[in-house]
Amino acid sequence: LEKSIGNIAGMEHKPTPAIIPVSGACVAEISSLRVGLPRNLKGPDGQRKVQMTISSVVKKYGANNLPLLHPSRDMNLEDLDECWFEINSLKPKFSGSARDASRVGTAKGLLKKVGHWDCRGIQRAMEIEAKVAEIEAKIKDSQVTVFDREIKLRSEVLKELGHIDATSVLQLKGRAACEIDTADELMASELMLEGAFNTLDVHQVVAVASCLVPVENTQAVVDVQPALKEPLLALKAAAQRIGDVSKAKGLEIDVEEYVQSFKSTLMNVSYSWSRGSSFSEISAMTDLFEGSIIRAMRRLNELIMQLHAASVAIGDEKLAEKFQKAAQSIQRGIIFAASLYVES
């Protein structure tokens, strides 16, 4: 703070900058203008710079016309525009009343100057302020309530799917899900623990896992190879079960949209690459850009390695070995080259 504002407002004393601590109760309004402060405010040079900056700002806008923070425009507080307008419309009455009170010096004189209608305006402003505080408290309570309800519903889903037991203790399927963070962990653990990967060969495992990797939208209609049709149906059935359980427990979910989110776009591509096809051959199977194919295949490799770690965590060594071989089958060629320009 500094004492030069009074000089700008017409007072005669020489301005003297000073740092004055104040409590939050003394702050009536906050301007949307921000003044940059020097690193050292204790020295005379730093204080003089702040004094000159504040003086220029007050001179430009006027001591009583500094722009204030707007609730919705500056602070993202919605639905307060009407309250903001009503409070600002009453400000001239407040400021005029305060000046009259300082001249009269008594509460009786203030009431005489303010008048009946101005008192009603002050009362209305106080009611609005109390209403705003009440609404803010309700919003805070509702957010906590929604969060608690969401946790409870998701816990019920995890219990139904077998990730935790009735006392919320982590089970084998939940332990596997904890190892996966590059895809839908519920879906991945569901496929693992329900035996969807057990009857598949290494290349089919790669193809099924590719459905869990998010890819760009494509206009091409994918007709998966005969060896992949049955695994794809098993994957869709698992997704349908997870969606049905989630909806039955009260979660807001579009089951059909959830099932369709596991796309077969990369099934033929990853299956052929795993079996030794060239990059030009798999690029011709899809309308995805080459860069998109490379990114998706690298993410697929990361997912398969996490599935391997999940298998190890639950003690299924045979399945872990299958995932290890699946990852090795795609770790070759230009997709996993250290550089596209320099051969190491």
Side-chain angles (χ1 to χ4, degrees):
L1 297 176
E2 54 96 20
K3 299 179 181 177
S4 62
I5 297 179
N7 185 56
I8 298 171
M11 298 180 68
E12 298 179 353
H13 69 270
K14 183 178 179 180
T16 302
I19 302 174
I20 305 173
V22 296
S23 65
C26 297
V27 179
E29 296 173 325
I30 300 178
S31 173
S32 59
L33 300 176
R34 290 180 293 180
V35 176
L37 299 178
R39 291 182 178 275
N40 183 14
L41 274 177
K42 295 183 178 180
D45 293 338
Q47 294 182 5
R48 191 177 302 109
K49 288 180 181 179
V50 176
Q51 177 187 350
M52 293 176 62
T53 303
I54 295 179
S55 298
S56 62
V57 170
V58 174
K59 185 176 181 181
K60 178 179 179 180
Y61 292 95
N64 298 319
N65 295 312
L66 295 176
L68 303 177
L69 284 175
H70 191 278
S72 60
R73 186 172 58 249
D74 299 319
M75 296 183 285
N76 295 323
L77 298 176
E78 304 296 336
D79 302 327
L80 293 180
D81 289 337
E82 182 178 349
C83 175
W84 172 262
F85 175 79
E86 190 164 355
I87 290 176
N88 276 282
S89 66
L90 296 173
K91 279 184 180 178
K93 300 177 182 179
F94 294 161
S95 59
S97 300
R99 286 194 297 269
D100 291 339
S102 63
R103 293 192 190 96
V104 176
T106 63
K108 182 178 180 180
L110 175 60
L111 290 174
K112 184 184 297 183
K113 291 288 184 178
V114 170
H116 175 67
W117 292 105
D118 283 343
C119 287
R120 289 186 59 183
I122 295 173
Q123 181 181 4
R124 175 59 179 159
M126 295 175 65
E127 291 174 352
I128 292 173
E129 183 178 357
K131 188 66 175 178
V132 169
E134 180 183 354
I135 292 174
E136 288 177 346
K138 288 182 178 179
I139 291 174
K140 186 176 180 180
D141 291 341
S142 64
Q143 289 174 341
V144 174
T145 302
V146 170
F147 182 70
D148 290 342
R149 179 177 179 274
E150 185 83 3
I151 291 178
K152 183 178 179 180
L153 294 178
R154 291 191 179 277
S155 296
E156 292 300 319
V157 172
L158 293 178
K159 290 177 183 178
E160 183 68 23
L161 294 176
H163 290 264
I164 56 178
D165 63 13
T167 58
S168 298
V169 176
L170 192 66
Q171 300 299 295
L172 202 62
K173 187 181 287 187
R175 183 68 185 88
C178 291
E179 299 293 333
I180 300 166
D181 59 15
T182 58
D184 189 311
E185 59 272 15
L186 293 184
M187 185 64 178
S189 58
E190 187 74 14
L191 293 173
M192 283 182 57
L193 274 297
E194 296 302 321
F197 292 116
N198 294 345
T199 58
L200 304 181
D201 61 32
V202 170
H203 312 302
Q204 289 174 315
V205 167
V206 172
V208 171
S210 71
C211 296
L212 306 181
V213 177
V215 293
E216 301 171 7
N217 292 327
T218 175
Q219 300 298 326
V221 178
V222 180
D223 184 17
V224 298
Q225 300 183 30
L228 304 178
K229 291 184 181 295
E230 189 174 341
L232 179 59
L233 291 176
L235 181 143
K236 295 292 185 181
Q240 183 74 38
R241 179 171 183 265
I242 294 175
D244 290 341
V245 169
S246 300
K247 190 169 185 177
K249 295 301 180 180
L251 288 178
E252 295 182 3
I253 181 176
D254 186 328
V255 178
E256 183 64 26
E257 182 179 346
Y258 178 75
V259 173
Q260 295 302 321
S261 66
F262 301 102
K263 302 176 182 178
S264 59
T265 306
L266 285 177
M267 287 196 81
N268 290 337
V269 172
S270 58
Y271 182 70
S272 298
W273 179 257
S274 176
R275 298 183 67 185
S277 297
S278 66
F279 187 75
S280 59
E281 288 174 339
I282 67 170
S283 298
M285 297 178 180
T286 179
D287 59 353
L288 290 174
F289 291 112
E290 288 80 359
S292 299
I293 296 175
I294 292 175
R295 285 193 298 271
M297 292 295 289
R298 289 189 174 185
R299 189 167 184 178
L300 173 59
N301 176 70
E302 185 178 354
L303 171 60
I304 294 175
M305 293 307 298
Q306 289 183 354
L307 291 171
H308 169 264
S311 301
V312 173
I314 63 176
D316 193 334
E317 296 181 1
K318 187 175 180 180
L319 189 58
E321 183 181 359
K322 181 178 290 189
F323 284 127
Q324 182 70 37
K325 291 180 178 179
Q328 292 172 353
S329 70
I330 63 174
Q331 293 172 356
R332 62 180 180 84
I334 191 174
I335 292 180
F336 289 90
S339 171
L340 298 181
Y341 305 101
V342 181
E343 181 177 355
S344 58

